């Protein structure tokens, strides 16, 4: 299959890049890691005004989606700029609540689309932690066929990325929805979270590669740029190949998801949001490939930057510490490979 983005989709990506370049995301990341969510929430609102979070919300609730291809374009840019906050989780919550339907969808989906609501969540099979739960307006948990609103973010756990804090939500909370539609919607939401995380990982890897190429062009040894050394060229070429191989898998998964949500009745809360095995396998393939490519880009960046790569003073450190959590979140490499084989 030959896949090309439309002019409108490419322009959407360029507009987000311009918005985020002007936003000084390293400063936003530092504030977020220190517990000051104000700059991050302000940036979140600007992204919502650009239509990012409406991409996962149906038109009936004030959104424009689901539009997986456009969501991939957006998340790659957000990954390139290391935007803090539960991006993948909020997009997944849009799919979860749309598949659930009822009062809980009517209450929360318009806020997700407008950017007024930042949401985190946990789903069975993906671990007990909700990223950035302390900054979220709601933390949803799914157990079996019950959807609950957690009474609080819970206690923080150790995280490799200080701007992506992990919380185990407080237990309890009254169920806000029950029934077989919850299981189906949760499976679709898990695919959405994995898909968005794959796009974030790809964008993170792209920025790591860009920064590393710029560095080796100006760093010199023996009177010449280290980028002229054959071993360095090969390492950078391997990193680029990994990222470029992941890209068509990501957009292939977007096409599969778009085909799935276009089925009659999808996203109505009737249980039709379950997702096909083919779509799930495509998402898993994209997730493992993009996650590994992004992590490989981090290893290359750290090696070629030397000891300065992990210092707090260098902005690159924020991307380095984000690559591995993105690789492992919403489907570890081994779990994704197993799903590809099963699919």
């Amino acid at each position: 299959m030959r896949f090309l983005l439309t002019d409108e989709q490419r322009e959407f990506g360029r507009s987000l890049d311009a918005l985020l370049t002007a936003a000084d995301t390293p400063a936003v990341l530092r504030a977020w890691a220190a517990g000051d969510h104000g700059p991050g929430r302000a940036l979140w609102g600007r992204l919502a005004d650009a239509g990012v979070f409406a991409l996962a919300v149906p038109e009936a609730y004030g959104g424009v989606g689901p539009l997986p291809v456009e969501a991939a374009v957006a998340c790659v840019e957000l990954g390139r700029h290391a935007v803090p906050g539960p991006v993948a989780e909020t997009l997944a919550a849009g799919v979860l609540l749309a598949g659930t339907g009822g009062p809980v969808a009517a209450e929360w989906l318009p806020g997700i689309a407008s950017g007024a609501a930042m949401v985190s969540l946990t789903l069975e099979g993906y671990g007990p932690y909700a990223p950035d739960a302390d900054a979220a307006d709601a933390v949803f948990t799914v157990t079996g066929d019950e959807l609950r609103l957690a009474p609080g973010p819970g206690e923080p756990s150790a995280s490799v990325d200080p701007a992506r804090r992990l919380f185990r939500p407080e237990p309890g909370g009254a169920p806000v929805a029950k029934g077989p539609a919850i299981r189906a919607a949760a499976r679709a939401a898990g695919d959405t979270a994995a898909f968005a995380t794959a796009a974030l990982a790809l964008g993170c890897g792209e920025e790591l590669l860009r920064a590393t190429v710029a560095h080796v062009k100006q760093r010199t040894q023996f009177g010449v740029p280290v980028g002229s050394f054959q071993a360095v060229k090969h390492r950078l070429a391997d990193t680029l190949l990994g990222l470029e191989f992941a890209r068509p898998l990501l957009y292939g998964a977007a096409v599969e998801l778009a085909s799935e949500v276009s089925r009659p009745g999808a996203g109505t809360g009737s249980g039709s949001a379950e997702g096909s095995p083919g779509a799930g396998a495509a998402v898993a393939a994209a997730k493992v490939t993009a996650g590994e490519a992004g992590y490989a880009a981090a290893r290359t960046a750290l090696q070629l930057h030397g000891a300065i790569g992990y210092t707090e003073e260098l902005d690159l450190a924020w991307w380095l510490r984000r690559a591995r959590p993105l690789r492992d979140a919403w489907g570890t490499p081994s779990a994704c490979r197993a799903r590809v084989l099963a699919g």
Side-chain angles (χ1 to χ4, degrees), residues 244-330:
E244 289 303 316
F245 184 73
R247 193 183 313 280
L249 291 178
L250 176 69
Y251 286 110
V255 171
E256 289 281 356
L257 289 173
S259 299
E260 183 64 24
V261 299
S262 66
R263 291 185 302 112
T268 62
S270 63
S272 57
E274 180 175 352
S276 70
V283 169
K287 176 64 174 59
V288 65
T289 309
E292 294 280 35
Y295 183 52
R299 292 172 63 89
T300 296
L302 182 58
Q303 181 181 20
L304 297 185
H305 276 81
I308 66 170
Y310 54 79
T311 59
E312 289 286 346
E313 291 76 12
L314 191 68
D315 290 341
L316 184 79
W318 296 99
W319 280 260
L320 287 173
R321 289 181 291 197
R322 180 150 295 197
R324 183 164 182 172
L326 289 176
R327 184 196 71 171
D328 296 338
W330 296 105

